[in-house]
Amino acid sequence: MKTTPSLRAIAAAVCVLAFPLSVQAQASLPASAAATAAKPAAAAALKRYELQTNIVDGKMVFIDAKGQVNPVLAAKVGDTVELVLKSGEGAEHDLLIPELNVASAKFSANSGSTTVRFKVTRAGTFTYYCSIPGHRQIGMEGKLEVTGTSLAEKAAPASAAGESSQAAALALYTPAPSPMRGPDPSAVSVAANPAQVPSAIGARAPQTLKYRMETVELPGKLDDGTSFTYWTFNRQVPGPMLRAKVGDTVELTLFNAKDSKMIHSIDLHAVTGGHGGGQHTQVAPGQEKTVTFKALNPGLFVYHCATPLVPQHIAAGMYGMILVEPEGGLSKVDREYYVMQGEMYTGRPHGAPVHQEPNLEKMANELPDYYVFNGEVGALSKTHKLQAKVGETVRIYFGVGGPNKISSFHVIGEIFDKVYSEGSISSPKHDVQTTLVAPGGATIVELKVQHPGSYLLVDHALSRAGKGAVGVLEVTGDPVPGVYHAGAVQ
C-alpha cells in the first residue's frame, strides 16, 4: 500500500537537497563576494522627511527642513519612509508617488499637517508631486532615489495580485467619484448686479487710482435647487468692474481670504508686463500682494485668475473687466450695464438638485453643462434685470470669461446702433445684429430703445439659452409711432 510521507520527512528532504546547492553556490563565488553573501542584510531603517509647501520665485514647491526646494529624497530598499507634510502658505495640497502606490491625504492650513508612511520594495528613481490641478505644472515635483536590490514580491494568487495591482493603479490615476450631496443650504447669490458700473470719468488729467480686491471661495446658487463652490473676486461673478482713464497709474492690491484652499492671482489684459500682473500676484491664503501699472491703451479689457490650473479658476468664476477710457472719455448715454458670459463644467447633469462639483475632464474636452450670464442661471432674468425707458440709449459692456467658448452676443428684437468690436474704442461699427466675442475678449454695444417690451440677451448659439445663457432688458414707456405694431399697416 502506498503511503504519504509525513510533513517532517518532506521538510528534511528539502533541506538535504538544498544544502549542497548552497555550498556549491558559495564555493563558486570569489572570496570577497562569498564573505559579503555570508553577512546578514543591513537592517531596514526609518527615513523621516518633513516637507512644507510654499511659493518660491513665483512657483509652488516642496521645501525640506534645510530649506532645499523640491529636495531629492533618499532611501534604501527595505526602508520605511515617513513623510510629514504641511502647507506652509496655507493652500490645499497632497503628495503622490504613483509608481510606488503612495498617496497622501489632502492637507492645508485648516486641516494641519498629515503623515504618510510606506515601505520601499523597489530600487530606482521615482517622482513625487502634488496632484491638485495645476500644482505640478507650476513646480511641485521632486525625486525619491532608492538604492539596493528590489525585494521579491510576496507570493500571492495571480488573480488576486493582478486585481490588487489594478485597483491601486486605478485609485491613483482615476479621480474618486464625488459623493452626491444636496444643494448647500448656505449658498448665496454670486450674480454681479449689471447696473453696478463705476461712474464715467470724462476729461481730466491722469491720476493714480488705488483698487483693492479680495479672492473668496464660497458656496453659491448656480440654479434653482443647485449650488456650486465658486471662486470669486469680491464674492461676485464677474468680479467688480474697474474703470480708469488712459494715462492713469493704477495700484492694485489682491488679498486672498484666509479660509481659501487655493492660491489665487490676477492677470489684467490691460496691463503691459509681468504676465498682466499674474507673475507677481500669486497670493496664498491670508496674504496680499500689490502691483502698479500704467493704463497705456484705451479699451475694454478682461481680467482673470492666472493660477494653474487657469481654466479651472476661470470656470469657477474668476473673471471680470476693466474699462480704460480714452482722452475725453466716452460719449454720454442714459444707462450703462456690465455683463459677462462664462461656461461651467459640472459632475452632474444640468439642473440636478445637488451641490455640483467641477468636472475637469469635461473642461478639457470643452463640454459645458451650463452657460451663464453674470455667474448663475437666472442672474439677469430673475435675480437682476436690465431696465430702460423708451427713447433712452443703453450701453452694455459685454465680455466673455470663458474659459473656452466664443459668444455670439445678440439682443432679440433690437439692433446694435454702435459696436466697439473686440473692446477697441478707436473705430466703432454701426447697425450690427450679432457680434462675436472671443473667450478672454470683450465688446461694447449701444442701442436706442424705441419700443416697450422684454428684450432677451442671448448667445445666438441658441441651445445655450436652455443651459442658462439668457437675460432680460425690460423697456417701459410709450412706443414710438410707426416703429412696430401687431397686425397690418394702419
Side-chain angles (χ1 to χ4, degrees), residues 5 17 22 34 48 93 95 108 124 156 158 189 198 205 219 228 233 312 361 423 426:
L17 289 172
S22 175
R48 187 175 188 274
H93 302 284
L95 184 145
S108 66
S189 174
F228 181 85
F233 293 103
Q312 181 187 11
E361 183 177 359
S426 58

Side-chain angles (χ1 to χ4, degrees), residues 72 105 108 112 124 157 167 189 238 249 329 399 422:
V72 176
S108 66
S189 174
T249 296
E422 299 178 344

Side-chain angles (χ1 to χ4, degrees), residues 426-482:
S426 58
S427 55
K429 297 178 180 178
H430 298 273
D431 311 320
V432 176
Q433 57 187 317
T434 301
T435 187
L436 288 175
V437 187
T443 191
I444 305 171
V445 301
E446 295 177 9
L447 56 151
K448 184 173 183 177
V449 289
Q450 297 171 295
H451 193 82
S454 295
Y455 294 82
L456 300 183
L457 283 67
V458 297
D459 178 339
H460 216 293
L462 287 173
S463 294
R464 298 175 181 180
K467 293 185 175 182
V470 62
V472 176
L473 169 62
E474 199 72 55
V475 178
T476 58
D478 297 326
V480 175

Side-chain angles (χ1 to χ4, degrees), residues 106-126:
K106 288 183 171 59
F107 57 94
S108 66
N110 293 329
S111 69
S113 63
T114 189
T115 301
V116 58
R117 291 169 62 106
F118 57 96
K119 185 174 181 179
V120 184
T121 59
R122 295 169 53 196
T125 299
F126 308 100

Side-chain angles (χ1 to χ4, degrees), residues 220-244:
K221 296 177 181 177
L222 172 56
D223 198 354
D224 291 336
T226 303
S227 61
F228 181 85
T229 300
Y230 287 86
W231 299 345
T232 69
F233 293 103
N234 284 21
R235 298 177 178 271
Q236 65 178 63
V237 180
M241 181 175 169
L242 309 181
R243 197 161 190 162

Side-chain angles (χ1 to χ4, degrees), residues 216-272:
V216 181
E217 302 167 9
L218 77 165
K221 296 177 181 177
L222 172 56
D223 198 354
D224 291 336
T226 303
S227 61
F228 181 85
T229 300
Y230 287 86
W231 299 345
T232 69
F233 293 103
N234 284 21
R235 298 177 178 271
Q236 65 178 63
V237 180
M241 181 175 169
L242 309 181
R243 197 161 190 162
K245 178 181 176 294
V246 69
D248 283 350
T249 296
V250 181
E251 178 186 286
L252 176 61
T253 298
L254 189 68
F255 172 73
N256 191 358
K258 187 177 181 180
D259 61 356
S260 292
K261 291 184 177 180
M262 304 298 292
I263 294 168
H264 296 297
S265 60
I266 187 168
D267 166 7
L268 302 101
H269 292 184
V271 172
T272 298

